[in-house]
Amino acid sequence: MYFYQPSQGHGLPHDPLNAIVGPRPIGWIASQDTAGRDNLAPYSFFNCFNYHPPIIGFASTGWKDSVRNIMETGEFVWNLTTRELASAMNETSASLPHGEDEFFAAGLTKAESRLVKVPRVAQSPVNFECRLSQSIQLTTAQGGSHRNLADPR
Ligand SMILES: Cc1cc2nc3c(=O)[nH]c(=O)nc-3n(C[C@H](O)[C@H](O)[C@H](O)COP(=O)(O)O)c2cc1C
């Protein structure tokens, strides 16, 4: 039995949280900035939250391009990651300079979406065309911002 309080540190070589809450589905999120430049990135803090209307969500550990784009345009596309697409999905996590296109960098093809301007990954067998319903800034249990908390490791 191993007990730790996250605020006191875990005392292990690696933070066990990711390994404990796993496996996780991947939110492979395509978005577009207001200048029409496409963006694609994986988010494993992802899940489906409601049937009707269908609601999915992902969490970004920081203010990343996907978040900024979705906040600005209100649209995104979720793409299903298959075993065959795993390497390409990983490649799209590379932090390219803002505006550089992860679709091309990972050798993927864009296909037009029907309901949103954001393209989908053509190689992916399932795509959800999404509109932003909510954006939430997570807080600590005390209601404060967690972004300034030091990593207690
Ligand atoms: C498999 C995988 C899962 C990831 N999950 C997350 C996540 O849940 N939250 C997050 O902030 N970053 C996650 N990342 C890192 C982002 O993909 C990475 O920071 C990326 O550059 C963000 O792209 P963007 O700035 O274009 O949105 C993950 C990376 C990989 C390879």
Side-chain angles (χ1 to χ4, degrees):
M1 147 92 169
Y2 189 81
F3 175 88
Y4 75 99
Q5 282 180 273
S7 61
Q8 310 300 313
H10 48 69
L12 300 168
H14 299 286
D15 189 334
L17 186 67
N18 274 10
I20 292 167
V21 185
R24 296 185 299 283
I26 296 293
W28 202 12
I29 306 295
S31 62
Q32 197 176 68
D33 69 13
T34 48
R37 290 174 298 204
D38 299 321
N39 189 85
L40 181 63
Y43 286 83
S44 71
F45 291 156
F46 164 84
N47 225 306
C48 184
F49 297 109
N50 196 48
Y51 284 126
H52 305 293
I55 295 179
I56 60 171
F58 71 94
S60 176
T61 55
W63 191 255
K64 299 188 178 180
D65 287 346
S66 303
V67 176
R68 177 178 33 222
N69 291 347
I70 295 167
M71 297 281 280
E72 286 177 0
T73 66
E75 297 184 339
F76 65 102
V77 173
W78 173 84
N79 305 276
L80 179 69
T81 309
T82 59
R83 184 70 197 87
E84 294 70 32
L85 290 169
S87 295
M89 178 274 290
N90 258 317
E91 282 178 45
T92 63
S93 75
S95 58
L96 303 177
H98 175 67
E100 280 194 33
D101 195 322
E102 289 90 2
F103 279 87
F104 292 131
L108 295 161
T109 315
K110 297 174 191 180
E112 241 179 75
S113 297
R114 296 188 188 195
L115 304 174
V116 297
K117 277 178 66 185
V118 183
R120 58 192 174 84
V121 175
Q123 285 90 343
S124 170
V126 184
N127 318 94
F128 293 166
E129 300 185 17
C130 304
R131 294 214 167 84
L132 175 66
S133 62
Q134 263 181 300
S135 153
I136 299 167
Q137 172 68 59
L138 300 179
T139 67
T140 65
Q142 289 72 35
S145 165
H146 63 81
R147 280 192 292 177
N148 300 326
L149 292 179
D151 185 337
R153 250 176 305 175

